[in-house]
């Protein structure tokens, strides 16, 4: 999977403007979100594993503002692109934005995350490529490669139809494995990291 992600990084690193054009011309509707973190992620608990509250989708249309997200949806109401508005620069009369693009396939979603630049800029650095795989519509794993070489595999284990635990395998300078216990009762989510001595520390929500 790492080799495939490396291929994606090389394939799409110079296609920023083409991806923008594709989203602009093929989307059917837009939705807006709000929050410091994104309102949408193909893989479960992406924000929560960082100890952060995910953003939320808005019921009404909005306009660019700090920590607002604009989502482009195709004819199947699947999200194909995202703009995160970070900062308005008066001198340039433009927003600094982050963009992500999503390629929806039957059993997986490819995610391409670009770094910040002005909204009208035709170029930006491709920071990472990720693939979330699905079995019977349930996310089973997320594989992510950052352009610095860091590679992460996130594996989801289910109890019936509910995620009960997550394992992260992380390749940086050294290899690290992290284990998480997921408790989700009445939409009250708690994530605990299980340490090597079997003790547990809270990850989400922040204490």
């Amino acid at each position: 999977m790492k080799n495939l992600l490396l291929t994606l990084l090389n394939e799409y690193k110079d296609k920023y403007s083409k991806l923008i054009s594709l989203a602009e011309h093929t989307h059917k509707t837009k939705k807006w979100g709000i929050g410091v973190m994104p309102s949408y992620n193909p893989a479960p608990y992406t924000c929560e594993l960082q100890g952060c509250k995910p953003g939320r989708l808005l019921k009404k249309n909005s306009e660019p503002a700090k920590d607002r997200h604009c989502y482009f949806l195709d004819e199947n109401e699947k999200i194909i692109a995202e703009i995160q508005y970070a900062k308005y620069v008066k001198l340039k009369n433009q927003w600094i934005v982050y963009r992500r693009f999503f390629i929806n396939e039957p059993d997986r979603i490819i995610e391409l995350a670009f770094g910040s630049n002005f909204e009208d800029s035709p170029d930006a650095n491709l920071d990472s490529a990720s693939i979330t795989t699905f079995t019977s519509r349930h996310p089973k794993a997320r594989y992510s490669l950052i352009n610095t070489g860091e590679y992460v595999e996130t594996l989801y284990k289910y109890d019936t139809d509910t995620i009960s635990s997550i394992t992260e395998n992380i390749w940086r300078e050294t290899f690290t494995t992290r284990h998480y216990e997921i408790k989700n009762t009445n939409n009250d989510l708690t994530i605990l990291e299980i340490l090597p001595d079997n003790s547990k520390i809270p990850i989400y929500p922040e204490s």
Side-chain angles (χ1 to χ4, degrees), residues 186-203:
N186 297 324
N187 293 321
D188 186 15
L189 174 66
T190 300
I191 298 179
L192 304 171
E193 182 174 2
I194 305 171
L195 301 180
D197 63 0
N198 285 326
S199 63
K200 300 175 183 180
I201 59 172
I203 300 297

Side-chain angles (χ1 to χ4, degrees), residues 15 35 44 54 68 82 85 92 96 116 120 125 134 137 157 162 168 190:
K15 294 185 178 180
R68 294 289 170 95
E82 171 200 72
Y85 290 90
K92 296 285 188 178
I96 293 177
S116 64
D120 291 343
N125 291 325
F134 296 81
R137 298 186 179 180
K157 183 178 180 180
T162 303
E168 280 187 328
T190 300

